[in-house]
Amino acid sequence: MDKNTMTIKLPINIEDLLHRRTVESERIEYKEGWNPESILRTICAFANDFHNLGGGYVVIGVAEQNGQPVLPPMGLLPEQIDAIQKELLNLGNSAISPPYHPLTATYEVQGKTILVLWAPGGETRPYKAKTRLSKQADWGYYLRKHTSTVKASGEDERELLTLAATVPFDDRYRQNATLNDLSAYLMRDFLQDIGSELVTEARDLDIETLGRRMNVVGGPTEAAFPKNVGLLFFNEHPEQFFPATQIDVVYFPEGAGGDRFDEKVFKGPLGRITQDALTYIHNLYLKEGVIKHPDRPEAERFWNFPLAAIEEAVVNAVYQRSYEIREPIEIRIDGNELMVLSFPGPDRSIRLADLQAGKAVSRRYRNRRIGEFLKELDLTEGRSTGVPKILRVMRANGSPAPAFETDDERSYFLIRLPIHKAFIELTPSTTPEVTGEVTGEVTGEVSDDIIRLLTLIEGEMTRRELQAQIGLKHDDHFRETYIKPALNAGFIAMTVPDKPKSRLQKYRLTDLGKQVLASKDKT
């Protein structure tokens, strides 16, 4: 076998792949040996990428038992690998239509040689494959259902033909960019971060070869272009191609309706700004509280906002936002909650009630390649895990339940993480600075006008509805006397915080507002 073929590596960590740490089980298939018909169908299914997950991997030379790889591997002989690669080349031309060829690489694992086939979602899908390897064989469309490859039929086939012809935005070529817009340094840095063996080869590869190996370059040799995902992760200024590719962190020391705010804007490669924004929030705005109890030696410890919940909310926004919409991801922090806003909202197939309960599962993902890179960087665990983790982490911290909001048009998605109740202070002009023991005492005076307003709010109400309830005709007086002070104090919140003057704007009680009403009822 060609020595160069044996040394080719893929942009993955082989141990992570074998132990499914960064790739979901439905995107991996293990084969003890070479079974061309079965493997061909699986390659076809990965190429069709029905759920936009990023294709998948076939690991040859590793047996499977109850869905788990059996290690140490059975392995393959060098002459077997050479024969498999030659047959794959032939089958990719004659048994899959349009022609499709997975990337292949060999790895030494526990003293055995295995062959890994990487089959990314195809650029000219939908694909069909021969049902049998004979001249008179029929053709069929294949897709993945959980961890199995099945022949598409009925509604699935119709949906595949309708949807699969559209390549997700992040996997498309950028024809107004050149290969020089990709940074070899950033690409090697990424490979180093994830522990890929490809990093040792990367120093000697030209940008096109490295880009094709990482699947961030596509097209024929005479017209190679970077893909959008490559420019988002491996260009120092992706905003020149995708305006508003940034994360804005905005802190309101006087509350969301106050005149003062501190803003930090993060621009640059997508992986870097995601990590930098999270580090910035952790260093400046996260505080730990401690309550000592007289009846037990252990102190109760908690955070104003748990970092793991923030990470999931921010990474979800990076993963699911549209990079065709010129709106940044915005993170707003005040004395009552941390909000993560992105555009557009979740897929219409997801019911908001299921999302709030942590039971929603998306049938299709907007950015299959972005998610793949985020998982390799350990910034996300995988699909459909973010919301349940946010719910779980907030509950474990003793925080109020998070809220998930969108509109009927699914034009935006807002995740609200309420502050831990022990950090709440009823001082309109300050945000709690909790660094030692937390008493959780509620102090402060609330005007009768504010109490009247809070008493009238049921669910979500417009300004005009509230103004009519109170019986005021002068708009400015109502805003200055009721709405603005209640917003500043954090007793009420806007339902569309990014657009204060939106015609869809409504107001709702915050947990703090509910607490104020409850305390007044007791007096």
Side-chain angles (χ1 to χ4, degrees):
M1 179 166 39
D2 189 303
K3 184 177 179 181
N4 291 329
T5 302
M6 285 293 290
T7 60
I8 287 177
K9 302 300 177 192
L10 301 175
I12 56 169
N13 181 297
I14 189 61
E15 291 298 324
D16 286 348
L17 181 69
L18 289 174
H19 295 92
R20 296 176 175 174
R21 286 195 282 262
T22 57
V23 180
E24 303 94 331
S25 57
E26 65 190 271
R27 296 182 57 216
I28 309 175
E29 190 154 303
Y30 301 101
K31 297 290 185 182
E32 181 177 341
W34 173 240
N35 183 337
E37 282 190 1
S38 172
I39 290 174
L40 180 72
R41 292 191 287 265
T42 294
I43 290 172
C44 178
F46 285 147
N48 278 325
D49 198 17
F50 189 53
H51 295 290
N52 284 344
L53 299 180
Y57 300 84
V58 180
V59 182
I60 306 174
V62 178
E64 183 175 356
Q65 185 174 4
N66 299 322
Q68 297 296 321
V70 178
L71 298 174
M74 297 294 293
L76 298 169
L77 297 174
E79 55 269 24
Q80 290 178 294
I81 294 174
D82 191 43
I84 290 170
Q85 290 179 320
K86 288 178 180 178
E87 190 170 357
L88 268 174
L89 181 62
N90 176 58
L91 292 175
N93 290 321
S94 64
I96 295 183
S97 180
Y100 179 90
H101 300 281
L103 299 172
T104 66
T106 57
Y107 290 88
E108 293 294 322
V109 177
Q110 298 182 23
K112 299 289 186 178
T113 303
I114 65 172
L115 179 65
V116 179
L117 315 182
W118 180 23
E123 297 160 358
T124 53
R125 57 180 185 168
Y127 295 88
K128 57 185 177 180
K130 284 188 173 182
T131 56
R132 292 177 295 105
L133 296 182
S134 62
K135 291 184 179 180
Q136 279 72 41
D138 294 329
W139 294 74
Y141 295 100
Y142 291 89
L143 51 84
R144 293 289 282 182
K145 283 285 184 76
H146 303 295
T147 57
S148 301
T149 295
V150 299
K151 186 178 179 183
S153 61
E155 183 179 342
D156 281 342
E157 181 173 342
R158 287 191 293 274
E159 189 174 1
L160 175 65
L161 293 173
T162 300
L163 297 174
T166 302
V167 176
F169 178 79
D170 61 340
D171 213 15
R172 298 177 196 165
Y173 305 150
R174 193 74 180 183
Q175 295 190 353
N176 65 339
T178 70
L179 298 187
N180 291 331
D181 292 310
L182 294 175
S183 165
Y185 169 78
L186 290 175
M187 295 165 76
R188 290 194 296 265
D189 202 39
F190 171 84
L191 294 171
Q192 184 73 47
D193 285 346
I194 69 171
S196 169
E197 293 181 33
L198 177 57
V199 72
T200 57
E201 293 180 61
R203 299 182 185 90
D204 301 321
L205 298 177
D206 61 75
I207 196 70
E208 180 180 348
T209 303
L210 180 59
R212 289 187 186 277
R213 197 77 63 80
M214 297 178 69
N215 195 21
V216 297
V217 169
T221 303
E222 67 276 11
F225 292 103
K227 294 187 176 184
N228 287 334
V229 69
L231 295 169
L232 284 165
F233 277 88
F234 307 123
N235 181 282
E236 288 288 355
H237 302 284
E239 68 275 7
Q240 66 183 311
F241 300 103
F242 319 100
T245 297
Q246 64 192 63
I247 300 175
D248 299 351
V249 180
V250 189
Y251 171 59
F252 297 90
E254 300 172 350
D259 296 326
R260 292 178 52 227
F261 64 89
D262 299 322
E263 183 177 32
K264 176 74 171 177
V265 177
F266 294 88
K267 294 183 178 182
L270 204 54
R272 180 197 297 168
I273 64 173
T274 303
Q275 293 168 320
D276 288 352
L278 289 169
T279 301
Y280 176 78
I281 293 170
H282 178 262
N283 291 341
L284 267 68
Y285 300 118
L286 298 197
K287 303 180 187 299
E288 186 179 29
V290 180
I291 294 180
K292 295 181 179 178
H293 299 277
D295 57 339
R296 61 177 189 266
E298 300 86 3
E300 183 180 346
R301 294 181 176 273
F302 47 85
W303 293 85
N304 56 345
F305 305 105
L307 178 61
I310 299 171
E311 287 175 339
E312 290 297 330
V314 173
V315 171
N316 177 79
V318 172
Y319 187 0
Q320 295 293 353
R321 69 156 284 186
S322 169
Y323 292 87
E324 295 177 275
I325 295 178
R326 298 189 175 202
E327 294 284 353
I329 294 169
E330 187 168 334
I331 304 167
R332 293 179 170 227
I333 307 167
D334 60 28
N336 300 295
E337 60 185 355
L338 183 150
M339 300 177 291
V340 180
L341 176 68
S342 60
F343 301 87
D347 188 89
R348 291 178 184 272
S349 64
I350 297 177
R351 295 175 59 245
L352 199 58
D354 291 337
L355 195 67
Q356 190 69 49
K359 299 178 180 178
V361 177
S362 179
R363 297 184 61 224
R364 191 159 284 103
Y365 288 79
R366 188 171 286 127
N367 296 307
R368 65 186 183 192
R369 299 299 312 288
I370 288 174
E372 186 178 298
F373 280 116
L374 292 174
K375 278 179 278 188
E376 289 287 357
L377 290 169
D378 286 332
L379 287 171
T380 182
E381 294 178 3
R383 67 192 191 98
S384 301
T385 61
V387 169
K389 185 173 181 179
I390 291 172
L391 292 167
R392 185 174 67 252
V393 169
M394 292 290 282
R395 187 165 53 246
N397 190 60
S399 301
F404 308 94
E405 299 179 12
T406 186
D407 55 13
D408 291 340
E409 290 76 30
R410 302 299 172 97
S411 63
Y412 73 94
F413 187 45
L414 181 66
I415 300 178
R416 297 180 181 273
L417 305 180
I419 196 169
H420 191 287
K421 290 181 178 179
F423 283 81
I424 294 175
E425 294 179 359
L426 297 187
T427 307
S429 62
T430 62
T431 299
E433 293 291 331
V434 182
T435 56
E437 296 184 14
V438 177
T439 64
E441 296 277 338
V442 176
T443 61
E445 293 295 324
V446 184
S447 72
D448 291 338
D449 287 336
I450 299 299
I451 292 296
R452 186 181 176 195
L453 174 69
L454 300 184
T455 304
L456 292 173
I457 296 179
E458 295 182 2
E460 298 176 353
M461 299 178 68
T462 66
R463 179 186 60 79
R464 292 193 179 280
E465 288 172 338
L466 290 170
Q467 191 169 332
Q469 290 269 25
I470 289 178
L472 291 177
K473 294 183 178 180
H474 197 281
D475 293 352
D476 289 342
H477 175 62
F478 178 68
R479 272 193 291 264
E480 293 299 319
T481 306
Y482 293 86
I483 294 292
K484 197 169 181 179
L487 282 171
N488 288 345
F491 301 152
I492 65 173
M494 299 177 184
T495 57
V496 192
D498 60 301
K499 298 179 180 178
K501 296 182 180 180
S502 170
R503 62 183 178 81
L504 303 175
Q505 189 66 262
K506 293 183 180 181
Y507 299 89
R508 62 174 181 82
L509 284 175
T510 63
D511 287 336
L512 180 55
K514 294 174 184 176
Q515 186 179 348
V516 170
L517 285 180
S519 65
K520 291 298 178 182
D521 290 340
K522 294 177 183 178
T523 58

